[in-house]
Amino acid sequence: MPTPRNGRYAQALEQAVAGVIAETVRIAEIPAPTFREQTRAQYVRGRLEGIGGWDDLHVDSLSNVVAVKRGDPSRTRVLVCAHLDTVFPDEATPVTRERGKLIGRGVGDNSLGVATLLAVASALQTAPPGNTGDVILAANVGEEGLGDLRGVRRLLKDHAGDIDAMIALEGHALNSIQTDAVASLRYEVSVETEGGHSWGAYGRPNAIALLARAIVALEALLPEVGATPKVTMNVGVVRGGRSVNTIAPDAAFELDMRSADVEVLQQLYQRARTAIRNAVGGTGELRMRRIGNRPGGHVEVSAPIIEAVLGARRASGLGAPEFRASSTDANAAVAAGIPATCIGVTTGGEAHTPREWIRTAPIRQGVPYVGRAIAAVAALPSGALTRRAIGR
Ligand SMILES: [Zn+2]
């Protein structure tokens, strides 16, 4: 697969590396919980404006920031996404630096991804690699949790017919390339009863007890650890009741089910629904409200988009990656029939916790790698990325 050997572009990427750590810190210190990404979005828009030269630069009504650089119509049009949102609350927390690491909420997931998007943006403008199709850079909203990929779904809708490939950037994923998009289904399961005083109305059904039966029933359906294809189920949140001396009139839990195999996921969902209904019986009012539906699919390792990324790894001196099943913005593209993957910039750990950290040294290779990968995919002749590369 051709990797553009444009020396000036490679040099511009190397130069952009210098600012990435400081940029990561600035971005991480602007709070951006899912659904409240506006401030971080405005900051990124300002940075892109500062770089300049875009054929289009705007923030859409969801707060997705979009910068378009038009290219050669005979080449691949690529959408590059780095999500703005974090799983943390709407309060600023400092990032600390110690011995080759950055430590702080969202440093790798995904402040580094956004900072890398900006570094690549700057290289694309100062020394365009040439021979590429349109590059649409997006710092998008709604990747985490209940955001349910709303940002990228909107981008795919707004640019329907204008995109041949999609690349998601995640700070932590330097050593892996996403080839399986893990689908997930999420439900809020709730039970309502009449309730009443725990002494005076004793004997009436208790919503918490009914819900507990449903959770116990799900235990029997838990997929085996190590099953292939992997499939998982988790009750992540439980709430309900009013006071210690009230027969609980309401209770709810949130259920998450995942698999890279969409059929297997559907089967698990059917069985879970039946088990919940049987467990609660006709006593209380049972509701299952879908709160998440992440699509999934598979991209072959031999697909041109993956080969182009592998070429960029080699050109950047990186070793063989792990081909991984994960759940990222790339899922929405894969499910829409667009070849897509997720790649990363460094390594680290403890994502989604206040102790999240990333290694700073690999960023020196990670940023040029990501920049080369984007140019390599965009340099593919249009039509090279066929939908046949995708399985469901
Ligand atoms: Zn992420």
Side-chain angles (χ1 to χ4, degrees), residues 104-345:
R105 296 177 174 190
V107 279
D109 185 13
N110 192 25
S111 300
L112 176 59
V114 176
T116 301
L117 186 85
L118 291 174
V120 173
S122 144
L124 283 172
Q125 291 293 5
T126 55
N131 296 327
T132 60
D134 295 353
V135 178
I136 303 173
L137 301 178
N140 61 286
V141 303
E143 193 269 349
E144 300 285 3
L146 298 182
D148 210 25
L149 310 187
R150 70 189 198 117
V152 70
R153 285 184 211 250
R154 168 69 173 273
L155 293 169
L156 290 169
K157 196 172 147 216
D158 286 355
H159 295 271
D162 303 336
I163 298 166
D164 305 306
M166 186 272 191
I167 298 175
L169 305 182
E170 285 280 349
H172 285 281
L174 178 62
N175 293 329
S176 67
I177 294 177
Q178 182 184 353
T179 45
D180 276 301
V182 178
S184 69
L185 275 175
R186 290 165 179 170
Y187 283 85
E188 182 196 67
V189 180
S190 62
V191 177
E192 280 183 25
T193 59
E194 197 182 353
H197 195 280
S198 64
W199 175 261
Y202 183 65
R204 287 187 191 164
N206 180 310
I208 291 177
L210 292 172
L211 200 79
R213 287 185 203 167
I215 295 172
V216 171
L218 289 177
E219 291 281 308
L221 299 182
L222 283 179
E224 234 171 280
V225 176
T228 337
K230 184 171 175 175
V231 51
T232 66
M233 179 159 67
N234 182 58
V235 174
V237 172
V238 176
R239 57 181 168 265
R242 298 292 159 83
S243 74
V244 69
N245 56 350
T246 303
I247 296 166
D250 47 36
F253 67 81
E254 291 178 5
L255 178 67
D256 168 87
M257 292 164 284
R258 299 175 178 233
S259 180
D261 187 320
V262 179
E263 301 257 300
V264 169
L265 185 64
Q266 272 304 328
Q267 286 162 15
L268 178 64
Y269 163 65
Q270 301 293 350
R271 294 172 64 207
R273 194 177 60 175
T274 305
I276 290 167
R277 280 187 181 157
N278 291 342
V280 173
T283 321
E285 192 167 334
L286 173 69
R287 270 200 205 89
M288 284 186 73
R289 186 169 69 92
R290 195 167 76 189
I291 53 175
N293 177 22
R294 288 194 175 204
H298 174 72
V299 176
E300 295 295 334
V301 170
S302 60
I305 184 172
I306 304 297
E307 290 197 344
V309 170
L310 290 171
R313 283 189 84 80
R314 285 190 294 273
S316 310
L318 291 165
E322 178 199 347
F323 295 106
R324 213 164 107 185
S326 46
S327 179
T328 68
D329 280 322
N331 286 42
V334 170
I338 297 168
T341 187
C342 175
I343 61 175
V345 190

Side-chain angles (χ1 to χ4, degrees), residues 4 6-14 120 123-124 127-129 370-372 374-375:
N6 187 310
R8 281 193 59 231
Y9 178 61
Q11 223 171 39
L13 288 168
E14 304 281 348
V120 173
L124 283 172
V370 166
R372 283 190 179 103
I374 292 165

Side-chain angles (χ1 to χ4, degrees), residues 35-51:
F35 301 111
R36 302 194 68 173
E37 300 97 339
Q38 295 86 343
T39 312
R40 192 177 282 191
Q42 286 307 329
Y43 172 77
V44 171
R45 181 213 177 107
R47 301 299 285 180
L48 288 165
E49 250 162 22
I51 292 165

